[in-house]
Amino acid sequence: MTEMFSQNNKRDFWEHPWGYMESFFIGTGLLLTGFLIEMFIPSSEEFLISYPYNVVFLGGYIILLFVAYIWFSNVQLIRWLTKVPASISSIVLVTFMVMIMGVVPQIPSSNETITFLGLNHITTHWAFLFMLFLFLTCLGLVTVKRILQFSWSNFGFIVSHLGLFIALVAGILGSGDLQRLSLNVYEGRPSFVAYNDDNHEVELPFAVYLNDFIIEEYNPKLALVDNISGDIAQNNGKNLYLVEKDETYYFQNYEVYLKDYLSDAGKHGEKYFFVNEVGSPPAALVSVRNVDTDSIIEGWISSGSFRSPFEALKISEDYSLVMTIPEPKKFSSNINILTKEGERINTILEVNESFEYKGWDMYQLSYDEKMGKWSDLSVVELVRDPWLPVIYSGIFMMIIGAINMFWLGNKINKED
Amino acid sequence: MTWIDFPLYSGIIGIVWLLGLVFLFLSYKDVNKLKYALPILFLGWCVLIVFVGKLWMELDRPPMRTLGETRLWYATFLPFVGFVTFFRWRYKWFLAYSILLATVFLMINYLNPETYSKTLMPALQSPWFVPHVLVYLFSYAVLAASSIVAIKGIYDFYQESFSLETMKLADNLVYIGFAFLTLGLLFGAIWAKEAWGHYWTWDPKEIWAFLTWMGYLTYIHYRHFHSHKTKQSLTILALAFVVLLVCWFGVNYLPVAQTSVHNYTQQ
Ligand code: HEM
């Protein structure tokens, strides 16, 4: 590949050893090649290879790195790859590609230039893959170099560089084996047909039965809305007050006192009463005093639900008080896992608390948001990631490396 | 509610820390003052720990649910990091910096009492939440300090008063800050994996945190292997700071912000 760039006019340009000029020349050349390929053969698919090809690829790559270093380190290209200029140029060029990702939204775009250059799908862009490959090869070779010259003073270097190499390579190659399914489970019936990312049905080797879906909610919030625009007229809609019995809040020149609060209410005539029915929304009795005129308005407000309409209280020509829909505090599913062998395992899935069964990690994903706390649907995500231990060991090594780095600081300054 | 006692406790802590800081500044002139400064600052920290402990017992859950509680944790951890860094690196100014930052957090809590009962979405209610955010916050603070040192260095260059001490300070700060930034990224990845099954989703905030990481990574390697090219190193450090600022404040203004999960603006 280096021959491609061999026509240069400066005599000392390609003199050995290659420095920053050469490194950026090669790096940018590779980057432009990536862009050219992208323009003519756009890569729409994700770069995925699955078992056993990824394992073969990984083994081959690692052997190649060792062979390259041990037997070919006198080749200029290999020597260059183990040196800092190559690494820094690859770091900078990967940074450049990621920076595009950080500015251009990674979603289908109507801008022709963006689509033509493929700037809205960087993670699958040829140029990004080339840069990443250069980056990993630099990282891999330098790690091989230090491993072969092992000494304890290299410990920090090896754990951070090897850890990063392992985590990245396993992350990239492992994504081909990663399975991510979503399973809808309804209260009272077993479900075993899940859907993958492409919406294809996948039959699970076990069934999931939802015993109960439970939501804990925060109290609703109180908001002042503009009668004409319907917008929230206070704090830009942030930091609203929670509705709580006996609290007093101030909005502009109104003093709002919460006389009563019912978490589950039904309307009867003009009033709300506590009821225990599916779809009964929260309601509150508020008393609003205009501080300037001392006039008082009293009435009920309710956030409404899929079954009953919301209720606002008009407090002046300009404003009304409303109650927001309660936000979930915590939601969880009490499920049974039913196996083909007739086993039954009971567990509770919760956001941030997954459950592992036979290599599947189960996550509480979502529910029927329109039904809110009366949802009898719970969406469970199932993830199978056989490379997880490998990636975690890389991450763990990097953590050790980071702690080591904090503790020992840098060498340059200690030497002098 | 123990929060009722907060003005009292934070008042005491504030006064004790102020006294400790005065001794710490005096110790620049007279080293003996240091033996007063450290115990006094430590005492203030103990008062804070007592408060957190009482709050924890009263609430019957770790007080990490609301934003006010989270800030309370920042205020608790920052002096700890300051002390550890001090005992390791002997940076007095850094101890002062962490104590001051902790005081700012206590002050924000004092001024915003209503935020205590604010809701926190379920996804954030994780044991990883605090370490992830805390470590990031700390690393940004240290890296920002390093880049400010770099800008001072560049200025000194033009004034022809540049000293190698500036470089040493910048290097040490970058190493400390970078170590924590790495931890922040990794904790984030582990948390995301445990909670949602993804390590990394290239969310805008993640992208910019990654870019910040790469910026300082460039500095570390360049600096390590070209220790005489100080001016170039300082320029890299100053540029890394621009990326850091975008990550910290700017992401929300970029066209990509619409796709971020790190936007916790409620409603
Ligand atoms: C986890 C992130 C990283 C950290 C903390 C780190 C840190 C360091 C440090 C402290 C050194 C000097 C070590 C010594 O001389 O003992 C070094 C050397 C080096 N690093 Fe990194 N680095 C990281 C990632 C990378 C990456 C991603 C690359 C390449 C793409 C890379 C390439 C190199 C090279 C080529 C050397 C010179 C090694 C030699 O000449 O023997 N590093 N790194």
Side-chain angles (χ1 to χ4, degrees):
Chain A
M1 161 181 324
T2 49
E3 295 88 334
M4 256 171 71
F5 308 104
S6 54
Q7 335 100 311
N8 52 83
N9 33 28
K10 266 199 234 149
R11 295 206 97 246
D12 52 350
F13 192 26
W14 289 103
E15 225 168 4
H16 300 175
W18 297 341
Y20 284 94
M21 286 294 278
E22 290 85 352
S23 300
F24 274 99
F25 203 79
I26 297 172
T28 335
L30 207 54
L31 187 102
L32 292 179
T33 313
F35 268 95
L36 273 178
I37 300 180
E38 186 65 41
M39 284 175 213
F40 297 110
I41 323 165
S43 61
S44 49
E45 290 291 301
E46 230 176 301
F47 169 76
L48 291 178
I49 45 175
S50 49
Y51 184 82
Y53 304 103
N54 49 10
V55 177
V56 173
F57 185 92
L58 177 64
Y61 187 43
I62 290 175
I63 291 172
L64 213 65
L65 288 176
F66 271 93
V67 168
Y69 185 76
I70 297 172
W71 285 296
F72 296 96
S73 59
N74 53 349
V75 174
Q76 178 58 18
L77 179 70
I78 305 299
R79 185 167 330 143
W80 166 72
L81 282 169
T82 59
K83 291 274 158 53
V84 176
S87 287
I88 289 193
S89 64
S90 76
I91 292 174
V92 169
L93 292 171
V94 168
T95 308
F96 171 75
M97 291 306 291
V98 176
M99 207 171 263
I100 297 177
M101 193 181 341
V103 178
V104 181
Q106 301 293 296
I107 43 179
S109 164
S110 54
N111 182 320
E112 272 176 33
T113 322
I114 290 180
T115 314
F116 183 59
L117 296 176
L119 302 184
N120 56 351
H121 58 95
I122 296 295
T123 49
T124 60
H125 198 288
W126 284 108
F128 182 66
L129 293 182
F130 285 171
M131 289 307 101
L132 210 55
F133 187 71
L134 181 64
F135 178 89
L136 285 172
T137 307
C138 288
L139 182 62
L141 278 176
V142 75
T143 311
V144 167
K145 170 177 157 190
R146 290 287 181 103
I147 288 177
L148 293 177
Q149 310 165 345
F150 184 81
S151 82
W152 280 108
S153 62
N154 276 345
F155 176 77
F157 178 96
I158 291 175
V159 283
S160 52
H161 291 79
L162 184 60
L164 181 62
F165 183 80
I166 292 177
L168 283 180
V169 172
I172 295 167
L173 292 177
S175 58
D177 291 335
L178 187 114
Q179 265 181 292
R180 184 186 302 284
L181 307 173
S182 108
L183 177 72
N184 291 342
V185 274
Y186 294 90
E187 256 169 47
R189 74 180 136 101
S191 317
F192 51 87
V193 179
Y195 291 88
N196 67 12
D197 286 343
D198 309 325
N199 247 337
H200 290 305
E201 285 187 5
V202 178
E203 194 170 313
L204 297 173
F206 51 85
V208 178
Y209 183 92
L210 180 63
N211 297 317
D212 199 6
F213 175 72
I214 311 146
I215 284 197
E216 255 181 67
E217 288 175 330
Y218 286 109
N219 282 5
K221 292 170 179 173
L222 201 58
L224 193 67
V225 296
D226 189 308
N227 286 341
I228 296 160
S229 67
D231 292 337
I232 294 181
Q234 151 230 4
N235 270 354
N236 294 323
K238 282 180 222 158
N239 297 348
L240 300 181
Y241 301 122
L242 284 181
V243 173
E244 252 162 310
K245 198 182 167 194
D246 290 332
E247 282 287 355
T248 306
Y249 296 124
Y250 296 88
F251 292 100
Q252 298 163 2
N253 53 336
Y254 297 101
E255 180 189 271
V256 178
Y257 172 65
L258 287 150
K259 274 184 128 165
D260 200 2
Y261 171 68
L262 306 169
S263 59
D264 297 89
K267 193 171 182 182
H268 199 82
E270 282 305 299
K271 288 184 176 167
Y272 282 82
F273 298 91
F274 184 82
V275 291
N276 192 359
E277 280 169 19
V278 169
S280 47
L285 179 61
V286 289
S287 153
V288 184
R289 190 170 74 92
N290 186 324
V291 183
D292 298 336
T293 62
D294 219 16
S295 62
I296 293 185
I297 297 173
E298 196 174 290
W300 286 89
I301 54 174
S302 165
S303 55
S305 72
F306 67 96
R307 280 191 60 184
S308 34
F310 78 99
E311 176 128 19
L313 178 66
K314 193 168 166 186
I315 58 174
S316 72
E317 280 309 307
D318 300 326
Y319 297 115
S320 295
L321 267 185
V322 298
M323 190 190 252
T324 64
I325 305 230
E327 290 167 40
K329 186 189 224 170
K330 193 167 150 177
F331 50 98
S332 57
S333 303
N334 183 329
I335 55 164
N336 277 346
I337 299 166
L338 312 169
T339 68
K340 288 195 169 127
E341 298 76 43
E343 228 186 320
R344 167 187 293 260
I345 299 150
N346 180 262
T347 184
I348 294 177
L349 298 181
E350 201 178 293
V351 179
N352 274 315
E353 276 173 46
S354 60
F355 180 76
E356 206 235 295
Y357 178 70
K358 289 213 173 137
W360 289 96
D361 278 312
M362 300 187 186
Y363 300 87
Q364 171 73 62
L365 192 63
S366 66
Y367 55 95
D368 183 345
E369 288 181 21
K370 218 169 71 228
M371 300 280 283
K373 65 177 166 182
W374 301 281
S375 169
D376 55 4
L377 162 72
S378 171
V379 185
V380 174
E381 185 172 49
L382 295 124
V383 178
R384 192 189 177 89
D385 188 0
W387 292 67
L388 181 113
V390 186
I391 297 178
Y392 269 15
S393 59
I395 290 182
F396 181 70
M397 288 167 83
M398 284 179 80
I399 290 178
I400 303 281
I403 294 171
N404 178 74
M405 188 171 185
F406 168 74
W407 198 248
L408 294 182
N410 59 336
K411 281 185 198 155
I412 340 164
N413 292 320
K414 264 181 282 169
E415 277 158 10
D416 46 52
Chain B
M1 261 273 278
T2 316
W3 277 118
I4 302 281
D5 303 332
F6 183 69
L8 175 70
Y9 277 87
S10 59
I12 295 175
I13 297 165
I15 291 168
V16 174
W17 276 352
L18 192 67
L19 193 69
L21 286 178
V22 169
F23 275 104
L24 194 65
F25 287 124
L26 289 179
S27 75
Y28 276 100
K29 287 247 162 64
D30 173 6
V31 184
N32 285 328
K33 294 285 191 298
L34 200 59
K35 65 172 185 271
Y36 302 109
L38 292 180
I40 294 173
L41 290 175
F42 190 74
L43 181 75
W45 190 56
C46 292
V47 177
L48 185 56
I49 303 261
V50 169
F51 178 74
V52 174
K54 276 182 64 176
L55 188 69
W56 192 322
M57 283 193 284
E58 195 126 330
L59 291 175
D60 254 341
R61 61 171 167 84
M64 291 187 190
R65 198 173 278 176
T66 67
L67 291 176
E69 289 164 0
T70 317
R71 279 199 288 264
L72 187 67
W73 282 99
Y74 297 163
T76 314
F77 276 113
L78 274 168
F80 173 73
V81 178
F83 283 124
V84 172
T85 312
F86 175 78
F87 285 114
R88 182 67 188 85
W89 298 108
R90 298 272 141 191
Y91 290 147
K92 283 186 251 181
W93 66 270
F94 193 81
L95 183 58
Y97 181 68
S98 64
I99 297 275
L100 276 175
L101 209 56
T103 316
V104 169
F105 280 119
L106 291 181
M107 213 126 78
I108 297 176
N109 270 5
Y110 178 76
L111 294 174
N112 291 306
E114 91 276 1
T115 54
Y116 295 139
S117 58
K118 250 181 50 189
T119 53
L120 190 61
M121 58 195 277
L124 294 187
Q125 297 164 19
S126 158
W128 288 104
F129 179 42
V130 172
H132 170 70
V133 179
L134 193 89
V135 160
Y136 260 119
L137 197 95
F138 177 73
S139 99
Y140 284 174
V142 179
L143 289 175
S146 81
S147 292
I148 286 165
V149 171
I151 292 165
K152 179 176 178 296
I154 293 174
Y155 176 79
D156 287 349
F157 244 109
Y158 289 105
Q159 301 292 309
E160 293 176 358
S161 61
F162 181 75
S163 113
L164 268 182
E165 281 306 303
T166 314
M167 238 27 234
K168 267 190 195 171
L169 183 58
D171 283 338
N172 281 337
L173 289 175
V174 169
Y175 270 62
I176 295 168
F178 186 81
F180 274 80
L181 186 60
T182 308
L183 291 178
L185 284 173
L186 298 175
F187 288 171
I190 299 174
W191 175 13
K193 182 67 191 175
E194 300 286 314
W196 300 281
H198 305 264
Y199 301 98
W200 193 265
T201 50
W202 293 112
D203 173 86
K205 199 86 187 181
E206 287 172 4
I207 293 178
W208 284 92
F210 177 77
L211 289 172
T212 310
W213 190 80
M214 295 287 267
Y216 288 95
L217 191 67
T218 312
Y219 171 81
I220 288 174
H221 288 89
Y222 191 83
R223 171 81 186 122
H224 193 275
F225 295 96
H226 307 279
S227 45
H228 301 294
K229 298 190 178 169
T230 39
K231 205 168 147 196
Q232 284 89 330
S233 301
L234 287 175
T235 311
I236 296 174
L237 198 49
L239 284 178
F241 190 44
V242 176
V243 181
L244 179 95
L245 287 180
V246 175
C247 182
W248 210 341
F249 304 108
V251 177
N252 295 343
Y253 303 103
L254 289 173
V256 291
Q258 63 206 47
T259 52
S260 177
V261 301
H262 282 88
N263 258 330
Y264 301 122
T265 351
Q266 281 150 12
Q267 312 256 265

